[in-house]
Structure formats: structure tokens, C-alpha cells
């Protein structure tokens, strides 16, 4: 059995497509070099699981679907599955390349796997869809479409439910792969959302927050460190005021207070802080939010925002 | 260690989208019931690896790409990766459902994984692309596109190379998963084609025949039975003549002679017969071509065309 500590690294969508980019394959492969070179080095001393976002890729596929009347539209569960294939391949091949560049001669085992994530059929999110996805529509286009729509400054947009992830269906498989020292790429885009009907799973039109799904997985696999890496170097409080500051080490209780006070925007930093705090509180292990270029330094305790393990008293 | 024999089942594209269908998600899930119920039953007595085609799904994604100028086109390697995600999910969830319907209470392990397949950079197919993919174009449209085109009755069409598969990059991973009794879904669409540059892999714009890739995999994993299941019940010779007949059991040498005599159309039955014959000749194990509704009966020796193991003398 391995004694290397286990890190779960959740990569933000901007690990592949950065702001202002359209997302060519070249751009996505180039962007991945920054996190993948670090992960390749980390794999010497840690077992690694990688999860990732898929927002821009889902947006692009939906836009292509809408532009083409000849091909039947795929439901969101299948769009998510497609992005797991696409991004899983890009991450796996970029990491393979980074390992080769390091001159790694041992034969590291890899796997990128399709993952579904169970949500509750009665999750209130299904009554109140809030997550905007896909292209913008004119009022006239919006009337003809069978979606829940919201009006925005740029037009109408489809909103879907973003239910709470409960369990990763493949968690037993993922645990076995980790035991065998595979680097595992999974839970892409928060996973393909499924509900359980009796004992059968059924896909649903929803998207799952990838940081919350990653927190569930981090708990299931007993990760020693859970890292969320995106385009911000850490967690800021009092944003837009003279008191604004980036947090470095924060006790769980203090972070929960900031969350409750509304310091973090919903749909971006909010779920990240919630995901990390939940994990640290439940497991007593390390949780970090950092920039994509700072993954190694953050794990060494030199960058990012770390939610401090609860003291004995808090944890009890 | 398990002593269940190992079957590799290669599913034709029509396991998901049948002739005349556009390929809605509902159609694809409905079609999958036929092979998946059989595979669920077979999993009691056999270890199972499933590979699959992706022709119609690739065609649909290319058509969507061409219809949308706002989103950058993805190269073929990434389109193949997307279909591995999509079809891997559909197969895995359909098989899971079929097992649940059978009342299987043991917890079967599954994995659908992204696979790349190595081809030679100097494969002559790159000088002479022959595999038609994607939509039809007018002469004018065709002139503006950076593809090799062929003229057909219905217009111009892009052709890409279909190089010979040499090795499945993830074969070590797949072997480990089989040892642990995972049902493995892999090598979708013949795999993501990559060439090896020094020690690094690089994706190439090509498609690999899924039956030939499956034959390579069947050899690498030492499959006991290799089954190619599609929309034809078996292999016919002397097609279109009064002597036409479906073969039932054929010695390898006889099948090779039919191949050489041109009994089988290129791009459809040709590669299937070639794949099965190569596998049986190299391994001395069972190889079968059958209809999707006949997988169980074919494995029981009651349907399909089986290429007979070579006699001691032939094999030596």
C-alpha cells in the first residue's frame, strides 16, 4: 500500500479557456501547461486526483447545437458527458506530456473516467433553476424555446437547476484506482447529474457545481488535501472597500461567518468557499483555494487561502 | 484471481443509431437495450470489455461545428474524445440499468475510460486519406475548406486518413481493471489517434477503424472471445449471386482467401473480417461476427460467423 498523501485538485474552467479567449484547441492545450507541469512534479510525492470545470465548453456545444437544425439536440446530461471526454483527454494528454518533459521514466498509470453524480429528485433547485447556461436569445427566440429563461442585459438566457451533489456514483471505482496509484481524472463539470429511481439512475437536465461535487468526492476518497485552483490567487473579504484583503489562513468558524455575511459572490467564490469549508470541517484535513500558477506553493503553505483544520474542540 | 473467461465485444455504430434514424438521445438509449440486456446476462459468467463505433455521432458533431461560426472548430482528435464521453456514458448507464432490471444485487464495478491509440506517423494512409466523414458540401463550399475532399453523388465530402492501429496507450490500465473484475468500456470510435514523437504523444486528424483497434486490444488483454456485433447477422460470400450464403464456421485460412478474393466491401465487412481473422490467427482463440440481437447465441455457438481457431499445424 502506498503511503503518499492524496491530493484532490479541482481545476477551474479557466485552466483551459481564459477570459477573452474563444477556446481553440491550441489555447486550451497551452493554458493547461501551467497546472499540468506542477501536477506532474507533485505526482512524485503525492497520489493525485483531478476534477475540472466545463462551463465554457458546455456553452460552446450548446451554441453549436442551437445553430444546427439538422441534428437532434442532446440533453444536458449528454453534453456534460461529451465535455468529460473532451477535457479528460486534454488533461490526461497534457499531464502525460508534462511527465515526459520531466524525464519521468517510471510508467505512471492514468485514467480519465466518465462520472455521474447523484442529486435528489426533490432538490429545491429543480423548482427554482438559477444557473445560466448557453447562448443569449432575443425575446422572440426565447418565446419559442422549451426552457426556463431569465432576462439579462444581453438578452434572454436559459437557466437550469444546480442541485446539491450527494454522492459520486463511481466512488468505489475511483477508490480502487487510487489504491493502485492511478492518477484519476474524474467528476468533470461536477459530474453527469442523475437521480435515483428505485435502484435505477436517470439523467436529468441540470448542472452540478464542480467545487461542491469535488468536496463530496474529497470526503469519499479521504483526501489529505483538497485544492481548488482557479484564476484568483485566494479568497478576499470586504471586496470593493478600503478594508479589502486576501485571507491566508482562516479557521473554519471564521470562514463560515464570512460566508453567512455574504462576502463571496454566488456562482463563483461562494461555492468554492462553501466546498472547502465543508470538507475541512467534516474531515479535519487541509483545504486550499489558490491560483492556477500557485498550486505547488499553496500545498507548501506559501500561497493561497487555507481553511484551517478545526481545533479538537470545534471538531468534536 | 478470477477464472471467468474474458470477452471483448465491439459494438457497431448501429447499436446506438440505426439506419434512417437521426440519433435523438431517446433513440440511442432505446437501441442500446438490445445489446445491453444480453451483456448484463453474460456478465454473470464472463468478464467483459466493451468497445464501440462513433461514426454517426462524429458526423453530427462535425455538422454542428460547420453550422456555427462563433465557436472555434475542434480537431478530429477532440471530436473523437467527445464521442467517447457521450457514448461511454450511454453504454455504462444502459448496462447499469439492465443489471438493475435483472435484480443484480452484487455491486459490479464499471468504468468508461478515455483511450488513445498509437498509429505510425509514416502510415501510408496519411498520404492517401480515404475515410469520408462529416457533411456533404457544394463545389463552391468545398473550395473554401482546408480539407482533402472527394466528389460523391451527393456532393463533396471531406476524407481523412484511417491509419492502422498499433497499440492502445491505456492497455496496462485496462489490464489492471480487468484483473479487478471491472467491466471496462474503452477504445470508443477506434480510439483517439496519436503518433509518438520521441516519447511524447501528439493527436492527429485521423480516424481509426474500431474493429481493427478492438482486435489490437483483444490481443493485448488476451481475450478468450472477440465478438464484433453489428446490423448484419454474419459474414456472407458471393453476395449478389445465386451462390450467396452466410458462413457459420470458417477456418482462418479459408477466411483469408475470401478476404483476398474481395468478397467483402471495404469500410464495412472488410475490416471486420480482417480484424477477427487477425485476432484468431495470432491468439488461437475464438472470433465471432454476429448481429446485435444474437450476441449471447453467437457466444453459445448458435448464431453468427465464427472464424475457427487454426489447427496445430496452421498455428505453428
Amino acid at each position: 500500500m502506498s503511503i503518499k498523501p492524496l491530493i484532490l485538485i479541482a481545476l477551474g474552467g479557466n485552466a483551459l479557456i481564459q477570459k477573452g479567449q474563444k477556446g481553440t484547441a491550441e489555447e486550451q492545450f497551452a493554458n493547461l501547461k501551467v497546472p499540468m507541469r506542477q501536477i506532474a512534479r507533485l505526482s512524485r510525492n503525492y497520489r493525485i486526483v483531478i476534477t475540472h470545470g466545463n462551463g465554457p465548453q458546455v456553452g460552446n456545444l450548446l451554441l453549436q447545437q442551437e445553430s444546427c437544425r439538422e441534428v437532434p439536440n442532446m440533453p444536458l446530461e449528454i453534453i456534460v458527458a461529451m465535455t468529460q471526454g473532451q477535457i479528460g483527454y486534454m488533461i490526461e494528454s497534457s499531464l502525460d506530456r508534462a511527465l515526459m518533459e520531466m524525464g519521468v521514466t517510471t510508467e505512471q498509470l492514468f485514467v480519465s473516467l466518465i462520472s455521474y453524480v447523484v442529486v435528489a429528485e426533490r432538490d429545491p433547485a429543480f423548482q427554482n433553476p438559477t444557473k445560466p447556461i448557453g447562448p443569449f436569445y432575443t425575446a422572440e427566440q426565447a418565446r419559442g424555446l422549451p426552457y426556463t429563461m431569465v432576462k439579462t442585459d444581453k438578452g434572454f438566457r436559459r437557466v437550469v437547476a444546480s442541485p446539491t451533489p450527494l454522492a459520486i456514483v463511481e466512488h468505489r471505482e475511483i477508490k480502487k484506482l487510487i489504491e493502485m496509484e492511478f492518477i484519476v481524472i474524474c467528476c468533470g463539470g461536477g459530474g453527469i447529474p442523475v437521480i435515483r429511481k428505485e435502484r435505477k439512475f436517470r439523467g436529468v437536465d441540470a448542472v452540478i457545481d464542480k467545487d461542491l461535487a469535488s468536496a463530496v468526492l474529497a470526503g469519499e476518497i479521504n483526501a489529505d488535501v483538497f485544492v481548488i485552483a482557479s484564476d484568483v490567487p485566494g479568497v478576499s473579504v470586504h471586496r470593493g472597500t478600503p478594508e479589502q484583503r486576501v485571507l491566508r489562513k482562516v479557521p473554519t468558524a471564521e470562514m463560515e461567518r464570512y460566508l453567512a455575511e455574504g462576502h463571496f459572490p454566488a456562482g463563483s467564490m461562494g461555492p468554492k468557499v462553501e466546498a472547502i469549508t465543508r470538507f475541512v470541517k467534516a474531515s479535519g484535513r487541509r483545504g486550499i483555494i489558490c491560483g492556477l500558477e500557485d498550486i505547488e506553493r499553496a500545498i507548501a503553505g506559501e500561497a493561497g487561502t487555507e481553511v484551517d483544520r478545526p481545533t479538537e474542540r470545534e471538531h468534536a
Side-chain angles (χ1 to χ4, degrees), chain A:
Chain A
M1 280 292 290
S2 170
I3 50 154
K4 284 187 195 174
L6 174 62
I7 310 183
L8 171 59
I9 302 173
L11 298 174
N14 60 309
L16 292 112
I17 303 182
Q18 294 176 352
K19 282 199 183 95
Q21 291 184 333
K22 286 215 152 188
T24 64
E26 293 72 23
E27 285 168 345
Q28 298 191 54
F29 278 120
N31 294 334
L32 274 173
K33 284 182 184 170
V34 172
M36 288 307 136
R37 285 177 178 166
Q38 296 176 75
I39 293 174
R41 287 188 293 261
L42 287 165
S43 71
R44 291 179 184 145
N45 301 316
Y46 296 93
R47 291 171 296 160
I48 308 269
V49 173
I50 302 169
T51 65
H52 59 83
N54 68 349
Q57 290 83 1
V58 164
N60 282 351
L61 282 169
L62 289 173
L63 200 55
Q64 289 177 331
Q65 282 207 159
E66 299 290 337
S67 310
C68 180
R69 292 286 119 234
E70 295 160 77
V71 172
N73 282 1
M74 288 292 125
L76 210 40
E77 54 176 310
I78 289 175
I79 300 281
V80 173
M82 285 183 194
T83 66
Q84 289 188 349
Q86 170 186 357
I87 302 171
Y89 163 62
M90 291 180 131
I91 289 178
E92 184 178 330
S93 60
S94 298
L95 182 54
D96 196 26
R97 180 172 279 259
L99 283 164
M100 288 299 174
E101 283 171 356
M102 268 170 54
V104 167
T105 50
T106 56
E107 302 222 316
Q108 174 65 53
L109 295 164
F110 290 92
V111 69
S112 306
L113 60 91
I114 302 307
S115 319
Y116 2 134
V117 171
V118 181
V119 300
E121 190 173 6
R122 290 162 184 261
D123 191 303
F126 288 110
Q127 302 310 315
N128 179 30
T130 55
K131 176 81 182 170
I133 57 162
F136 293 91
Y137 303 100
T138 64
E140 196 187 348
Q141 288 171 321
R143 265 194 298 277
L145 289 166
Y147 305 139
T148 306
M149 293 279 184
V150 285
K151 200 177 165 189
T152 74
D153 292 349
K154 292 161 75 182
F156 286 83
R157 201 155 177 221
R158 178 180 176 190
V159 284
V160 296
S162 184
T164 302
L166 302 177
I168 314 305
V169 175
E170 291 82 359
H171 66 93
R172 293 176 312 126
E173 282 86 348
I174 294 168
K175 275 188 234 174
K176 290 220 174 225
L177 293 164
I178 295 166
E179 276 170 26
M180 296 196 310
E181 303 214 24
F182 279 68
I183 293 178
V184 181
I185 301 154
C186 60
C187 266
I192 299 165
V194 297
I195 57 172
R196 202 190 292 262
K197 279 281 202 182
E198 290 155 23
R199 297 193 55 218
K200 291 183 213 166
F201 296 115
R202 187 164 63 74
V204 285
D205 250 5
V207 293
I208 299 175
D209 181 88
K210 78 108 178 39
D211 296 310
L212 295 177
S214 300
V216 171
L217 179 64
E220 289 173 333
I221 63 175
N222 293 316
D224 294 290
V225 192
F226 172 29
V227 180
I228 298 180
S230 72
D231 55 353
V232 285
V235 179
S236 295
V237 284
H238 303 293
R239 283 167 308 108
T241 76
E243 294 154 85
Q244 174 165 344
R245 64 193 170 91
V246 177
L247 304 171
R248 284 286 287 118
K249 273 222 164 196
V250 191
T252 42
E254 186 179 329
M255 199 58 123
E256 287 181 306
R257 202 177 65 236
Y258 291 133
L259 255 178
E261 288 172 3
H263 283 261
F264 314 120
S268 66
M269 190 51 84
K272 290 187 208 311
V273 171
E274 201 181 324
I276 284 286
T277 308
R278 269 191 211 174
F279 169 74
V280 175
K281 199 173 172 187
S283 67
R285 298 183 176 210
R286 298 180 66 197
I288 302 170
I289 294 173
C290 69
L292 283 160
E293 58 295 332
D294 287 336
I295 298 171
E296 284 179 287
R297 290 183 55 230
I299 290 169
E302 293 162 9
T305 300
E306 181 157 349
V307 178
D308 237 9
R309 297 168 237 207
T311 61
E312 288 305 312
R313 185 172 304 170
E314 281 179 292
H315 195 48

